């Protein structure tokens, strides 16, 4: 097991290139199961979650070759012609709950599957009831036993239908889209997630021949087709990774430019960073942030896209810890997403948490280096940012959480002048 050791504080400056988006890549890689062709997926980020996805694809019978690029990411050639079954055991699902995204493509391709129910995780119970409701609306029969879900499409093919989600769910929307594109007839999805990752998945499926309209809005219309062709697609860059480094620059001070950023997906974050005092310039797909001397307190609420992303909430808490005054953040998406706060308190941060709200008593320079523990992916990122801003040495243990979603974070930060290194955690 590794840990990160950080000396702070120090400013960061220079240029970064964004990696491919983890949350876009996960459903898109599973979507290749929907056809029996040979696929090419480029700019796949090198992350633990991608290794889990690879294991799932191989388990289903796909053949995958990975070719690593000179800088970041990899190119996957995937042959799904020999996908023979859709049974995903618990020991694969538990490693990455997003493996549940394979259910939609398995149903669309094979008409049946047996997948273990994913457990919860540190940030919440993470139920999948909306996924299962959607599949049943398309005619699937579902039996649960021993923690597994046995799901079948009568006659081997789902039937299009109208599905209205009672609440917005990114994963359930993506799973339903993947099941509906080869269903018989039309599917209308109401109260769909409008996240960029849903848009990117739809674009990838349309390049395979799927008929989808309205993706990126809350109403999506799908006309089922009999067969899908090959995928040849490059994973768009990761809005949460880019957002994390922009927040880091404003917190640490400095001047950083990030190339190939999904700027159209960063609107509200850029607005909030400007409110905190940063200068942010967008030129094409490049975003440059010049930090302000002082950080102004900025309150916010996390919401479904285009609102402020819940995946950037922990990083924003770290930034507001050094702001000049109080700010209030409300987390409306997950029920337990303040796991970074007890660790930030160990570093000297001052907060008051009440239910889904956290008040941050910001004070410039308040953070002091300390040994802390990562608990989940985005909390880990928050602790890295705090360690870089803190006076003295910090060590962050259990950074396997971080490796799930950030490609070589310490290398990217070191290239900007941060004093951070990965060490064996004895
Ligand atoms: C996706 O998770 C992302 N993961 C999450 O990113 C992200 O935080 C989340 O969307 C919200 O944007 C991937 O794309 C792999 P949801 P997902 O279904 O699809 C509840 C990260 O850090 N819900 O939109 O699981 C759920 O409990 C990760 O990269 C149900 O009640 O999120 C939550 O409260 C973390 N029943 C809310 O809906 C269901 O069947 C939104 O969850 C499904 C979800």
């Amino acid at each position: 097991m590794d840990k990160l050791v950080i000396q702070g504080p120090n400013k960061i400056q220079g240029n970064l290139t964004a990696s491919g988006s983890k949350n876009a890549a996960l459903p898109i890689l599973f979507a290749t199961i929907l056809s029996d062709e040979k696929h090419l997926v480029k700019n796949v980020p090198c992350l633990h979650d991608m290794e889990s996805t690879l294991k799932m694809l191989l388990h289903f019978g796909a053949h995958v070759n990975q070719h690593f690029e000179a800088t970041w990411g990899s190119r996957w050639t995937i042959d799904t012609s020999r996908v023979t079954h859709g049974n995903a055991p618990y020991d694969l699902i538990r490693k990455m709950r997003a493996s549940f995204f394979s259910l939609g493509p398995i149903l669309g391709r094979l008409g049946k599957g047996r997948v273990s129910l994913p457990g919860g995780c540190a940030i919440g119970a993470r139920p999948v009831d909306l996924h299962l409701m959607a599949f049943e609306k398309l005619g699937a029969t579902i039996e649960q036993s021993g923690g597994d879900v046995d799901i079948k499409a009568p006659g081997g093919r789902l039937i299009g239908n109208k599905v209205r989600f009672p609440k917005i769910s990114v994963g359930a929307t993506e799973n339903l889209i993947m099941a509906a594109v080869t269903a018989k007839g039309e599917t209308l999805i109401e109260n769909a997630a409008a996240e960029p990752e849903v848009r990117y998945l739809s674009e990838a499926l349309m390049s395979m021949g799927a008929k989808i309209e309205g993706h990126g809005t809350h109403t999506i219309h799908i006309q089922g087709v009999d067969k899908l062709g090959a995928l040849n697609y490059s994973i768009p860059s990761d809005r949460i990774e880019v957002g994390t480094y922009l927040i880091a620059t404003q917190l640490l001070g400095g001047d950083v430019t990030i190339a190939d950023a999904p700027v159209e997906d960063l609107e509200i974050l850029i607005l909030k960073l400007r409110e905190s005092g940063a200068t942010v310039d967008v030129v094409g797909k490049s975003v440059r942030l010049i930090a302000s001397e002082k950080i102004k307190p900025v309150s916010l609420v996390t919401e479904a896209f285009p609102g402020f992303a819940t995946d950037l909430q922990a990083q924003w808490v770290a930034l507001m810890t050094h702001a000049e005054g109080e700010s209030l953040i409300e987390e409306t998406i997950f029920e337990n997403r303040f796991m970074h706060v007890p660790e930030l308190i160990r570093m000297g941060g001052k907060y008051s948490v009440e239910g889904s709200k956290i008040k941050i008593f910001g004070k410039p320079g308040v953070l002091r280096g300390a040994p802390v523990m990562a608990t989940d992916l985005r909390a880990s990122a928050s602790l890295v940012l705090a360690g870089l801003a803190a006076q003295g040495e910090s060590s962050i243990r259990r950074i396997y959480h971080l490796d799930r979603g950030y490609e070589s974070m310490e290398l990217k930060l070191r290239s900007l002048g941060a004093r951070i290194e990965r060490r064996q955690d004895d």
Side-chain angles (χ1 to χ4, degrees), residues 35 153 177 196 405:
S35 98
I177 290 172

Side-chain angles (χ1 to χ4, degrees), residues 140-161:
T141 57
I142 296 175
E143 278 169 36
Q144 294 193 18
S145 69
D148 285 357
V149 165
D150 216 336
I151 189 164
K152 288 189 182 66
R157 189 177 185 185
L158 295 170
I159 311 289
N161 198 351

Side-chain angles (χ1 to χ4, degrees), residues 87-113:
N87 303 334
Y90 180 59
D91 68 316
L92 281 177
I93 296 269
R94 71 181 176 80
K95 288 197 180 71
M96 180 185 70
R97 52 184 325 287
S99 311
F100 204 68
F101 288 168
S102 61
L103 199 46
I106 285 292
L107 269 179
R109 170 77 180 273
L110 302 173
K112 63 178 180 177

Side-chain angles (χ1 to χ4, degrees), residues 106-367:
I106 285 292
L107 269 179
R109 170 77 180 273
L110 302 173
K112 63 178 180 177
R114 183 180 180 86
V115 177
S116 283
L117 282 168
C121 73
I123 65 176
R126 310 289 296 274
V128 288
D129 56 314
L130 299 180
H131 299 240
L132 300 178
M133 176 276 286
F135 293 141
E136 284 181 321
K137 281 277 187 184
L138 265 54
T141 57
I142 296 175
E143 278 169 36
Q144 294 193 18
S145 69
D148 285 357
V149 165
D150 216 336
I151 189 164
K152 288 189 182 66
R157 189 177 185 185
L158 295 170
I159 311 289
N161 198 351
K162 178 176 166 184
V163 181
R164 174 167 185 72
F165 283 117
K167 71 192 295 191
I168 286 181
S169 163
V170 175
T173 301
E174 290 170 338
N175 238 340
L176 173 55
I177 290 172
M178 291 189 281
V181 289
T182 57
K184 186 170 172 42
E186 299 187 28
T187 295
L188 177 66
I189 309 176
E190 294 181 335
N191 205 24
E195 267 66 7
E197 292 75 27
V198 175
R199 204 168 71 231
Y200 299 138
L201 169 64
S202 302
E203 288 164 3
L205 288 166
M206 289 161 75
S207 76
M208 295 166 75
K211 291 187 170 38
I212 303 172
E213 290 171 354
H215 46 294
T217 74
H218 295 299
T219 304
I220 298 175
H221 184 264
I222 296 168
Q223 175 64 49
V225 295
D226 295 338
K227 185 166 170 25
L228 290 175
L231 175 64
N232 182 337
Y233 186 78
S234 184
I235 300 294
S237 49
D238 191 322
R239 63 189 173 110
I240 304 302
E241 183 204 32
V242 170
T244 302
Y245 290 119
L246 291 175
I247 294 171
T249 307
Q250 173 65 345
L251 172 60
L252 304 176
D255 177 351
V256 170
T257 299
I258 304 177
D260 189 26
V263 290
E264 69 280 3
D265 301 338
L266 290 164
E267 260 181 53
I268 189 150
L269 173 68
I270 290 171
L271 178 76
K272 292 294 180 185
L273 283 166
R274 284 173 172 152
E275 279 179 27
S276 77
T279 302
V280 184
D281 297 324
V282 174
V283 178
K285 290 199 53 96
S286 168
V287 57
R288 178 184 182 188
L289 188 142
I290 301 169
S292 50
E293 271 310 299
K294 295 187 172 67
I295 301 166
K296 293 181 193 135
V298 175
S299 297
L300 54 82
V301 180
T302 66
E303 292 171 303
F305 193 85
F308 191 93
T310 173
D311 294 349
L312 290 171
Q313 175 260 108
Q315 301 89 315
W316 195 262
V317 169
L319 174 63
M320 289 296 108
T321 303
H322 270 184
E324 290 200 319
E326 289 181 18
S327 57
L328 183 69
I329 294 176
E330 183 178 2
E331 169 59 56
T332 69
I333 307 292
F334 290 108
E335 65 267 30
N336 185 33
R337 205 166 197 183
F338 290 140
M339 305 278 279
H340 41 291
V341 176
E343 300 303 306
L344 292 172
I345 289 171
R346 286 176 45 75
M347 300 175 80
K350 300 277 182 279
Y351 317 91
S352 131
V353 177
E354 275 177 48
S356 64
K357 294 187 177 80
I358 178 170
K359 182 177 280 188
I360 303 158
F361 303 99
K363 185 170 176 242
V366 72
L367 290 167

